[in-house]
Amino acid sequence: MTMSLLVDQASHLRSLARQSRATARRRATVIAVTSGKGGVGKSNVAVNLAVTLARAGKSVVLLDADLGLANADVLCGVDLPANLSHVIARKKELRDVMVPGPGGFRLVGGASGLARMADLSDADRQRLVDAMAELEAQADVILIDTGAGIGPNVLTFTRAADHVLVVTTPEPTAVTDAYAVVKVIARQDGRDPEAYGTDPDGLGDGYQNAARRVSLVVNQARSPAEAKLVYDRIAGVARQFLGATLHDAGSVPLDDQVPVSVRRRIPFAMAAPRSAAAQAIAQLAARLTTGVATADESGFFRQMGQWLRKK
Ligand SMILES: Nc1ncnc2c1ncn2[C@@H]1O[C@H](COP(=O)(O)OP(=O)(O)OP(=O)(O)O)[C@@H](O)[C@H]1O
Ligand SMILES: [Mg+2]
């Protein structure tokens, strides 16, 4: 598929999303967790962030949008009676497929083996976007685990997000693929001026998506210094070659508690709250809601934090 076709599809979805927002007043902040390379830790970051934000009193929905290899339900140890594919197929309403997750967040399970988003019809897309708009009115934060890569599924969800968290590990292959994701997102933004403006949907509701934030999380870091090197490298290249700002969302250390909790099907933020990984996720959650990460920049997180605290 050509890049322009991807961009067209994304713009189309964006305009569908705007139509939906005209009827459903925007409320939640939408955070997409994505990566270039698979297996870098997206689902673990998304699930444990959901647990941590929910325990801090936020109303959180985690949407497992990895339409090929969904597994957030496995990480959470919950059984899904139905999933997103049933919503798209109009067999279920979103509220019927939402199940309680650990720590109090709500999970919308993904569909394993669902046809790629590229194969969905316009009506299917509208259905999915309407379902997301419905979620926006019911939560403070919507986390989306997008699955890996730069395919149309993933880009559709990063497009709909206010904030994209790109997860990588320090491995050179993961770093290269993370840069590829940052590049595609930067191009999307550059080619779609509709994404810019302080209140693009004209509802005057404090919609902060002047331009989407794109931040890097370095997972499985052996030290903070290693994570910093990875961040500096990708952010430097993004600035130099794309003119794009990549924000530093911090890092999560390589921690044995992660695979242990995966095997137990209990998120490490619950099973091992004192582990280094859980503490790093707590820092990430705090940054997302208090403005520490970008306090010296446009104040997006600060505003978002104030806004979340009002809830
Ligand atoms: N911080 C960490 N420390 C140690 N191991 C980790 C860490 N993060 C992830 N892992 C390991 O990597 C595996 C893959 O993680 P996860 O399923 O979250 O990746 P993913 O990016 O969602 O993968 P996919 O692309 O297949 O969806 C985990 O099962 C765990 O064993
Ligand atoms: Mg995953």
Side-chain angles (χ1 to χ4, degrees), residues 38-44 66 71 148 219-220 252-255 258-259 262:
V40 294
K42 286 177 300 300
S43 298
N44 272 279
D66 187 341
N71 60 12
N219 187 29
Q220 304 186 34
V252 180
L254 189 67
D255 185 338
V258 178
V262 169

Side-chain angles (χ1 to χ4, degrees), residues 242-286:
L242 310 172
T245 302
L246 179 65
H247 299 273
D248 186 359
S251 62
V252 180
L254 189 67
D255 185 338
D256 286 345
Q257 288 301 323
V258 178
V260 167
S261 76
V262 169
R263 280 194 289 273
R264 290 177 63 198
R265 300 182 65 187
I266 305 172
F268 57 79
M270 300 201 71
R274 287 164 193 255
S275 63
Q279 286 178 21
I281 293 290
Q283 272 181 26
L284 176 57

Side-chain angles (χ1 to χ4, degrees), residues 11 16 53 59 126 133 150 161 164 166 178 193 269 276 290 298 303 307:
S11 321
L16 292 178
L53 287 168
S59 166
Q126 182 68 58
I150 51 175
V164 181
V166 179
T290 62
S298 76
Q303 290 174 36
W307 175 75

Side-chain angles (χ1 to χ4, degrees), residues 66-138:
D66 187 341
L67 299 175
L69 300 163
N71 60 12
D73 53 316
V74 178
L75 291 180
C76 295
V78 301
D79 292 324
L80 296 174
N83 60 50
L84 208 52
S85 72
H86 300 100
V87 176
I88 296 167
R90 295 174 178 271
K91 290 181 183 153
K92 298 269 182 193
E93 293 299 321
L94 197 75
R95 59 181 167 275
D96 302 325
V97 305
M98 206 145 54
V99 297
F105 75 87
R106 290 168 291 163
L107 174 68
V108 176
S112 276
L114 187 71
R116 295 184 320 150
M117 191 67 73
D119 301 329
L120 297 179
S121 68
D122 262 10
D124 292 338
R125 285 167 200 276
Q126 182 68 58
R127 176 102 179 119
L128 190 57
V129 173
D130 282 347
M132 288 176 66
E134 191 188 319
L135 281 185
E136 283 185 331
Q138 297 172 19

